[in-house]
């Protein structure tokens, strides 16, 4: 199963990690790495679009969190389009063991997007150290080390508030 996920990661990387998180003309400005997350700002012709946080580290790439100017939060996973598979993510956060299930939308040819994340998810997420994601329709399971989500969250808050 891990081999399949790596294949998805390679494909997602080849198509372009930042293309799906904003309109086609969006520019990406890397801010830095904080708490094990690469933080970037996306803008479209000088207009703020979102701040994104990507997991970093060996065997840990692929998870992205997007924080839009409208306050909406999403997680984004690599995943090429499939022929009619119903994509649903089962997410288990550790150490709490709390489980969430989300339908996923194929919003580009290489990325799966969660619905808007509610506070009950993000509150548990920012207190977690690991996140396991299962995509049953694709027979894929993947775990992510979340590093220090508090540090990432603080920098994302600053990015969204100051747009830099």
């Amino acid at each position: 199963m891990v081999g399949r996920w790596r294949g998805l990661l390679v494909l997602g990387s080849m198509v372009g990690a930042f293309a799906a998180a904003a309109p086609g003309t969006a520019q990406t400005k890397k801010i830095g790495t904080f708490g094990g997350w690469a933080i970037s700002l996306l803008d479209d012709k000088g207009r703020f679009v979102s701040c994104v946080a990507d997991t970093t580290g060996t065997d840990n790439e692929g998870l992205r969190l997007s924080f839009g100017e409208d306050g909406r939060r999403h997680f984004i996973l690599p995943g090429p389009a499939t022929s009619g598979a119903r994509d649903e993510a089962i997410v288990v956060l550790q150490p709490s063991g709390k489980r969430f299930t989300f339908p996923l939308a194929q919003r580009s040819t290489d990325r799966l997007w969660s619905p808007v994340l509610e506070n009950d998810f993000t509150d548990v997420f920012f207190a977690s150290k690991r996140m396991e994601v299962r995509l049953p329709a694709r027979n894929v399971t993947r775990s992510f080390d979340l590093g220090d989500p508090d540090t990432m969250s603080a920098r994302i808050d600053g990015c969204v508030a100051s747009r830099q």
Side-chain angles (χ1 to χ4, degrees):
M1 279 193 249
V2 172
R4 283 186 181 171
W5 190 264
R6 284 193 179 132
L8 293 174
L9 289 174
V10 169
L11 179 62
S13 296
M14 291 184 331
V15 176
F18 293 109
T25 59
Q27 300 295 311
T28 302
K29 175 186 172 189
K30 184 168 178 162
I31 296 172
T33 301
F34 303 89
W37 294 78
I39 309 294
S40 300
L41 177 132
L42 302 176
D43 71 45
D44 183 17
K45 298 178 185 168
R47 185 183 146 274
F48 174 79
V49 174
S50 66
C51 292
V52 295
D54 293 293
T55 52
T56 61
T58 306
D59 295 327
N60 205 44
E61 296 89 4
L63 174 63
R64 167 175 280 184
L65 294 174
S66 174
F67 302 82
E69 70 174 332
D70 56 6
R72 294 183 178 181
R73 301 161 294 201
H74 299 271
F75 70 80
I76 306 161
L77 299 167
T82 60
S83 57
R86 181 171 180 259
D87 285 307
E88 181 176 81
I90 300 167
V91 176
V92 180
L93 296 167
Q94 297 297 341
S96 70
K98 182 85 171 145
R99 178 183 163 139
F100 297 88
T101 303
F102 300 103
L104 297 175
Q106 189 86 46
R107 289 186 42 190
S108 71
T109 58
D110 67 331
R111 291 287 183 164
L112 298 167
W113 286 63
S114 75
V116 173
L117 299 173
E118 301 297 331
N119 288 340
D120 61 336
F121 175 82
T122 55
D123 290 348
V124 176
F125 176 86
F126 287 119
S128 299
K129 297 297 179 195
R130 291 197 66 71
M131 179 170 134
E132 180 182 272
V133 179
R134 289 182 231 143
L135 305 173
R138 296 172 186 246
N139 197 28
V140 170
T141 299
R142 176 74 197 277
S143 290
F144 294 97
D145 176 0
L146 300 180
D148 182 356
D150 285 334
T151 300
M152 179 270 283
S153 174
R155 188 58 190 107
I156 282 290
D157 288 346
C159 174
V160 172
S162 68
R163 293 171 164 47
Q164 59 180 315

